[in-house]
Amino acid sequence: MRTRPTLSWASTGAPLPRTTDLDEVARTLARGRVVVLSGAGLSTESGIPDYRGAEGSLRRHTPMTYEEFTGDPEGRRRYWARSHLGWRTIARARPNDGHRAVTALHAGGHLSGIITQNVDGLHQAAGAPDVVELHGSLDRVICLDCGRTSDRETLDRRLRAANPAFEGTATRINPDGDVELPDDVVRTFALVPCVDCSGVLKPDVVFFGENVPRPRVEQCYRLVDDADAVLVLGSSLTVMSGLRFVRHAAKTGKQVLIVNRGETRGDSCATVRVDLPLGQALTDLTRRLGVGRPDGPVTAAG
């Protein structure tokens, strides 16, 4: 059973108080056993826009849904043509101060786990270990028919060979690696099948309206249950796939802290809501906790 995609939400009450004070976040991190739940807002400083911020891509772009990808061959063609171009931008993106700070906090013993809703691989590129990719990763491809997985670089080479005259300019990249392209360019794009069974290839990411695999969900619940607090970084928590862990934490009496630009759907669960740029806030936290600068070597807290 597939879920209906939730693309937006509207607050029904007065905004809850927000602050720029990081003191409570620092105190919580100092005690350790904090699990991070990160979202697209953490990657904006790497040049990848979020979905719902002031410049969010949902203001101009409707992301691919599972139903459209699996049910409409032309929808698949449109996705792969645009994603083929957008992937080059995603692949060139580099971790920012926020990603490096999360790695430093983990190395310093302040984090017990990292769950990310992002599909860009930037946590891992910054050196963070054992990241749970809630929505998968754009650097992998899966066959919907036989289940074979392969790396995106291999598919990129195959698509380049199948489309030697393909041209386009990525004027606007979206968090899912999609870009805008004219219809006449999309119509000429040739798809390639699975090399094993000639089946349909899909990026190994969870599209809107697609369920997160149950083992992955259970792994995230275990991380939350084993932690003393949840720290949300750069997520509006609009979709239930991430919001459920915040609600679960609050229901079981764990502290929830949110650092995000603007309101989130999980604000009522949080004891602290900090409104600051992520790179700035996380850099400040690493300095306070003495775990090394995010642009320098990662060191354990002494």
Side-chain angles (χ1 to χ4, degrees):
M1 179 179 175
R2 303 293 168 185
T3 58
R4 285 189 70 182
T6 301
L7 301 181
S8 62
W9 67 281
S11 177
T12 57
L16 293 171
R18 307 186 70 77
T19 182
T20 58
D21 189 334
L22 288 165
D23 286 352
E24 182 59 25
V25 179
R27 282 193 292 269
T28 301
L29 284 167
R31 292 191 291 269
R33 300 183 61 81
V34 177
V35 62
V36 156
L37 173 63
S38 68
L42 187 62
S43 292
T44 56
E45 293 174 39
S46 294
I48 303 174
D50 62 10
Y51 280 115
R52 299 174 180 85
E55 300 298 324
S57 66
L58 283 183
R59 296 174 182 267
R60 302 170 300 270
H61 163 74
T62 300
M64 176 59 65
T65 66
Y66 184 84
E67 182 179 14
E68 182 180 5
F69 188 90
T70 56
D72 180 4
E74 289 309 308
R76 283 198 296 275
R77 185 184 311 279
R78 182 171 65 253
Y79 174 83
W80 277 121
R82 302 190 327 187
S83 183
H84 178 56
L85 184 58
W87 161 247
R88 301 171 196 173
T89 302
I90 294 287
R92 288 194 297 265
R94 295 293 177 263
N96 61 53
D97 284 350
H99 297 109
R100 289 187 287 270
V102 170
T103 299
L105 290 168
H106 189 284
H110 301 287
L111 303 181
S112 56
I114 301 169
I115 303 167
T116 186
Q117 298 173 103
N118 299 339
V119 295
D120 52 37
L122 292 178
H123 273 302
Q124 294 91 325
D130 303 323
V131 178
V132 180
E133 296 172 315
L134 185 62
H135 295 152
S137 177
L138 281 172
D139 68 1
R140 296 188 302 271
V141 179
I142 188 168
C143 174
L144 293 179
D145 293 86
C146 71
R148 178 186 187 271
T149 58
S150 56
D151 65 273
R152 184 63 178 265
E153 288 291 350
T154 299
L155 176 64
D156 186 66
R157 290 193 294 270
R158 293 180 64 206
L159 287 172
R160 286 173 186 261
N163 297 274
F166 177 73
E167 294 182 357
T169 302
T171 56
R172 184 186 299 125
I173 187 72
N174 297 305
D176 55 2
D178 200 355
V179 299
E180 299 299 322
L181 279 179
D183 288 342
D184 59 331
V185 175
V186 169
R187 280 194 295 269
T188 64
F189 193 78
L191 301 182
V192 296
C194 173
V195 295
D196 281 359
C197 74
S198 298
V200 173
L201 295 177
K202 172 184 173 290
D204 194 12
V205 299
V206 177
F207 282 143
F208 283 87
E210 182 178 5
N211 291 332
V212 178
R214 174 50 54 181
R216 199 178 301 165
V217 173
E218 292 172 350
Q219 181 183 8
C220 292
Y221 275 124
R222 286 195 298 271
L223 284 173
V224 173
D225 285 339
D226 291 342
D228 292 332
V230 173
L231 174 60
V232 178
L233 300 175
S235 176
S236 66
L237 299 172
T238 295
V239 295
M240 188 56 68
S241 60
L243 178 63
R244 58 184 154 187
F245 304 120
V246 168
R247 288 180 171 175
H248 177 74
K251 184 178 179 179
T252 55
K254 298 178 187 295
Q255 189 176 19
V256 174
L257 309 101
I258 297 176
V259 183
N260 186 65
R261 302 311 306 265
E263 290 184 82
T264 85
R265 195 178 173 192
D267 278 359
S268 62
C269 297
T271 54
V272 176
R273 295 163 292 274
V274 178
D275 197 321
L276 283 174
L278 269 296
Q280 171 189 332
L282 289 165
T283 297
D284 187 5
L285 288 167
T286 60
R287 289 170 178 156
R288 292 190 189 201
L289 295 166
V291 293
R293 299 183 324 185
D295 58 343
V298 174
T299 59

